[in-house]
Amino acid sequence: HAATSFVGRASELARLARALRDGPRVVALVGLGGAGKTRLASEAAARAAEDGFEVVFVPLRGGGRREAAAERVAAALPVGWDVVDASARWRAWAAQPRRLLVLDGAEDAVDLDAWWASVADRLGEARVWLTSRSAPRWAAASVWPVAGLGVPDPDAALADARRACAVRLLLERAGFDPDAVSDHDVALAADVARALGGHPLARELAGAGARGV
């Protein structure tokens, strides 16, 4: 799990959990940078691991040559190194039950189309989740948009503002208990959350900055 607590996204987490049981085999979590795609995928994958899935998480952003994405995926699969070919490594891993591959930052993977073409019809029992700023053209995935966390309306009651995920995230990252702070602090946090818009990353950074003041 991540070092900080996970806030909100209950419906998205439930939907991903259902997808592992009887949903689409390939899901693309698509949204703007900072919308929370990686954090959502990481949390859902951690819960899948607790439920008995073998999870392989492959970060594709940065880390060297963009055209080496397929090599990174093949190297990450826990298959004996006597299996060298990338497609063969996938088939050996995916043939086993309860397998989940998470490809984070698929928009940066410029060479996965050939690899995917070689394995798309050999998914076996595996599930594949992608995070991307745009729907990947190389994968026939079910595209699930990831929006920012909802912010309370300016005229929302303080009790509703206190329950809003955006407000709770901001307060938690600033080191406060959202259920214990004053109504004044809730109102201030709600104002800040609205000013930051819907992106969780902005609130993570703002909350961390407030903690350091």
Side-chain angles (χ1 to χ4, degrees), residues 104-174:
D104 183 44
E107 71 275 0
D108 279 351
V110 299
D111 74 327
L112 280 183
D113 50 352
W115 173 80
W116 184 258
S118 70
V119 304
D121 60 347
R122 299 181 178 89
L123 291 182
E125 296 299 316
R127 298 291 197 272
V128 180
W129 294 347
L130 319 167
T131 73
S132 181
R133 296 183 183 182
S134 58
R137 291 173 294 180
W138 45 266
S142 293
V143 176
W144 293 1
V146 177
L149 294 175
V151 298
D153 293 331
D155 57 351
L158 283 173
D160 293 333
R162 191 185 293 271
R163 287 192 293 269
C165 292
V167 173
R168 298 185 73 83
L169 176 62
L170 183 61
L171 288 170
E172 285 194 9
R173 296 304 182 262

Side-chain angles (χ1 to χ4, degrees), residues 1 19 43 46 55 57 71 87-88 101 117 127 140 146 156-157 165 181 209 211 213:
H1 282 278
E43 179 68 18
V55 177
F57 191 100
E71 298 172 16
S87 298
L101 174 66
R127 298 291 197 272
V146 177
C165 292
V181 297
R211 181 190 287 265
V213 172

Side-chain angles (χ1 to χ4, degrees), residues 11 25 38 40-41 48 67 77 99 105 109 116 175 209:
S11 62
R25 290 192 176 276
T38 297
L40 171 60
E67 63 272 15
L77 297 175
R99 296 290 191 258
W116 184 258

